[in-house]
């Protein structure tokens, strides 16, 4: 593979999409955001084929049967999965492929992808109450759903140590600078793979 995977996890509402969007805005063509499939409801402001492929449970199950997912998991009672085909072809083209997936998905990907092809980042808020405020501010207004996401967040936090990096998304600007540095490091690692070509050029 010529490209690399930047895998981002963290509680729902911690700011993953916001930070990833900024990275895509800045580095555009060098990045491919892996659009997951999900059976959850579309939120206001989301679009099919942009944030997710919103599909039915029977379509999702058929995708599992056909082996279309690199990984899939049940998160907050809904199915989420990463398409194998799209991610593989973009990695072959040399792109940095971003996965926004949960801790279960990370565990599966880690078991399938060589260590040097994968960089993982866990993004979180400074506290649980800040996470609650951000979920509400985003317009998530089903109290049961918020409660489920907060409970899941506490469980996910226990897995923090399994990631290469973690970012506390307190001030957005500072959090973005950290994600940007991680991205730049991955780019430098991929650039160093052209060593053979460089040596050839230097030959008389
Ligand atoms: P996730 O993708 O992790 O579920 P979002 O990116 O949707 O999270 O962010 C959740 C909410 O928090 C959004 O309304 C977003 O605008 C807001 N948000 C993100 N980062 C910050 C920050 N540093 N400070 C305040 N609000 C933020
Ligand atoms: P949300 O519903 O807030 O968009 O996402 C809920 C959770 O599902 C987040 O933790 C997010 O990272 C995770 N998620 C999104 N896509 C995938 C995926 O393809 N696979 C897995 N395992 N988790 C995903």
């Amino acid at each position: 593979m010529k490209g690399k995977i930047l895998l981002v996890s963290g509680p729902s509402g911690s700011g993953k999409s916001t930070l990833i969007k900024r990275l895509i805005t800045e580095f555009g063509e060098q990045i491919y955001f892996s659009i997951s499939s999900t059976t959850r409801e579309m939120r206001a402001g989301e679009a099919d084929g942009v944030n997710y492929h919103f599909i039915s449970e029977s379509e999702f199950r058929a995708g599992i049967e056909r082996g279309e997912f690199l990984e899939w998991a049940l998160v907050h009672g809904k199915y989420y999965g990463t398409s194998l085909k799209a991610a593989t072809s973009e990695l072959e083209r040399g792109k940095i492929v971003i996965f926004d997936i949960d801790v279960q998905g990370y565990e599966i990907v880690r078991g399938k992808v060589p260590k040097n092809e994968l960089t993982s980042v866990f993004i979180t808020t400074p506290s649980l109450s800040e996470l609650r405020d951000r979920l509400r501010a985003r317009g998530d207004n089903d109290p049961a759903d918020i409660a489920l996401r907060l409970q899941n967040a506490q469980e996910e936090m226990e897995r923090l140590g399994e990631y290469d990096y973690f970012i506390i998304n307190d001030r957005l600007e500072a959090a973005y600078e950290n994600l940007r540095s991680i991205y730049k490091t991955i780019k430098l690692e991929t650039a160093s793979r052209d060593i053979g070509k460089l040596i050839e050029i230097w030959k008389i």
Side-chain angles (χ1 to χ4, degrees):
M1 291 289 177
K2 288 194 225 139
K4 287 206 178 201
I5 297 170
L6 172 57
L7 187 150
V8 179
S9 297
S12 176
S14 61
K16 301 180 296 297
S17 313
T18 307
L19 289 162
I20 292 169
K21 215 163 138 187
R22 283 192 68 163
L23 206 59
I24 294 168
T25 304
E26 184 171 355
F27 297 102
E29 284 299 293
Q30 303 170 29
I31 295 174
Y32 172 76
F33 175 68
S34 164
I35 303 166
S36 299
S37 297
T38 184
T39 60
R40 84 146 158 80
E41 297 292 308
M42 202 186 300
R43 281 187 205 122
E46 287 184 328
D48 188 28
V50 177
N51 307 86
Y52 287 102
H53 299 294
F54 293 93
I55 62 174
S56 67
E57 207 167 304
S58 62
E59 284 174 297
F60 200 100
R61 284 183 195 283
I64 297 173
E65 294 284 312
R66 290 194 294 263
E68 285 174 5
F69 297 117
L70 168 66
E71 63 74 38
W72 64 270
L74 201 56
V75 189
H76 317 128
K78 300 288 176 184
Y79 287 98
Y80 292 81
T82 305
S83 153
L84 181 62
K85 201 166 152 221
T88 310
S89 75
E90 296 297 332
L91 283 168
E92 275 164 4
R93 291 177 63 203
K95 297 235 179 162
I96 304 295
V97 173
I98 302 187
F99 290 164
D100 172 349
I101 66 178
D102 85 322
V103 292
Q104 306 171 74
Y106 173 45
E107 197 166 332
I108 298 168
V109 172
R110 256 194 308 173
K112 290 187 173 177
V113 173
K115 179 79 195 79
N116 62 343
E117 306 289 328
L118 174 69
T119 301
S120 59
V121 187
F122 192 95
I123 297 177
T124 184
T125 49
S127 65
L128 191 66
S129 63
E130 179 64 27
L131 186 66
R132 182 185 295 113
D133 291 347
R134 290 200 194 159
L135 286 170
R136 286 183 182 147
R138 183 169 70 181
D140 293 16
N141 38 30
D142 176 359
D145 189 54
I146 290 187
L148 192 61
R149 282 167 195 268
L150 292 176
Q151 191 195 329
N152 206 44
Q154 285 174 290
E155 285 163 23
E156 287 191 287
M157 282 297 289
E158 311 243 332
R159 312 285 294 269
L160 189 73
E162 296 173 24
Y163 287 74
D164 297 320
Y165 302 97
F166 75 88
I167 296 174
I168 298 174
N169 179 18
D170 189 358
R171 234 173 31 82
L172 187 62
E173 230 21 75
Y176 180 65
E177 262 322 300
N178 287 332
L179 184 63
R180 192 176 185 276
S181 299
I182 294 166
Y183 171 79
K184 287 278 194 181
T185 306
I186 301 172
K187 282 300 283 180
L188 286 170
E189 286 166 8
T190 52
S192 69
R193 286 173 174 173
D194 287 335
I195 287 173
K197 212 161 110 195
L198 189 64
I199 292 171
E200 274 309 306
I201 293 167
W202 271 76
K203 281 184 184 158
I204 303 167

